[in-house]
Amino acid sequence: MTTTTTTTMTNTTNMKATAPEHPARLEMGKLAPEVYKAMVALDRASRKDVDPVLAELVKIRASQLNHCAFCIDMHSKDALAAGESAERIIQLSAWEESQHFYTEKELAALALTEAVTVLTDGFVPDEVFARAAKQFDETELAQLISVITVINAWNRIAVTTRMVPGHYTPSTPKG
């Protein structure tokens, strides 16, 4: 087993050695390529007609709740690349106390994300669903639920296989 020690630049004169990077347990894309390709296709389909920044906020929040460091890293970088501010990304972990950073539509999406992600009560509360239904038409709501469901599946894959955060680079926007 190989571990890597990384060095983090905290400023131009101070270098800090960080803890060793843990190795991934296995590579799903190589070992179950059909499943991995299907997940990629499902992810793409789930985002159809969903505002890209909203989708990234939802993915970051679900990933925070699921303790998925790889997906937090990936989707924070994707959100920044899509034009999201660092401030709003940072505030996601405490969005209920910093609601003034988000629109009503985003707040409804974040509440729904939490309810779908954390099903400890065994259901999504009616008031959470109704709040989202006021902000999204039925098609948009179906797509949003799809985005939430898919990121939860990705989180479970990434956490279980110990995908390593910190190496993801967002692709450049096309257009």
Side-chain angles (χ1 to χ4, degrees):
M1 186 182 301
T2 305
T3 58
T4 304
T5 300
T6 57
T7 303
T8 304
M9 176 71 85
T10 55
N11 63 39
T12 55
T13 59
N14 186 15
M15 299 283 283
K16 284 188 176 180
T18 59
E21 188 175 273
H22 66 75
R25 288 181 173 149
L26 56 87
E27 293 184 50
M28 285 288 289
K30 289 182 181 176
L31 299 168
E34 292 83 13
V35 173
Y36 195 84
K37 288 176 189 172
M39 284 293 299
V40 169
L42 183 60
D43 185 71
R44 189 178 312 109
S46 75
R47 291 182 278 117
K48 184 181 185 293
D49 299 327
V50 176
D51 172 47
V53 172
L54 178 64
E56 296 306 332
L57 293 175
V58 163
K59 291 176 181 187
I60 296 165
R61 185 61 190 136
S63 299
Q64 289 171 337
L65 293 166
N66 288 321
H67 304 278
C68 184
F70 180 85
C71 292
I72 293 168
D73 176 62
M74 172 186 273
H75 296 295
S76 293
K77 289 173 179 176
D78 283 345
L80 289 167
E84 184 54 270
S85 72
E87 186 173 45
R88 283 172 29 109
I89 294 169
I90 291 166
Q91 289 300 318
L92 274 175
S93 64
W95 68 270
E96 290 177 299
E97 293 183 24
S98 55
Q99 293 188 24
H100 62 284
F101 285 93
Y102 307 101
T103 67
E104 286 300 320
K105 192 170 194 170
E106 291 166 338
L107 292 170
L110 292 171
L112 186 62
T113 299
E114 292 208 5
V116 172
T117 301
V118 184
L119 288 173
T120 53
D121 291 333
F123 61 93
V124 173
D126 290 339
E127 51 281 353
V128 171
F129 190 86
R131 180 179 183 185
K134 284 182 185 174
Q135 297 295 325
F136 298 89
D137 68 33
E138 286 186 336
T139 301
E140 292 172 325
L141 189 54
Q143 289 299 133
L144 177 60
I145 292 166
S146 299
V147 170
I148 296 166
T149 301
V150 172
I151 190 57
N152 274 282
W154 277 123
N155 289 166
R156 279 139 182 84
I157 290 170
V159 169
T160 303
T161 63
R162 293 189 77 185
M163 292 175 73
V164 182
H167 302 284
Y168 175 78
T169 302
S171 61
T172 54
K174 294 176 177 93

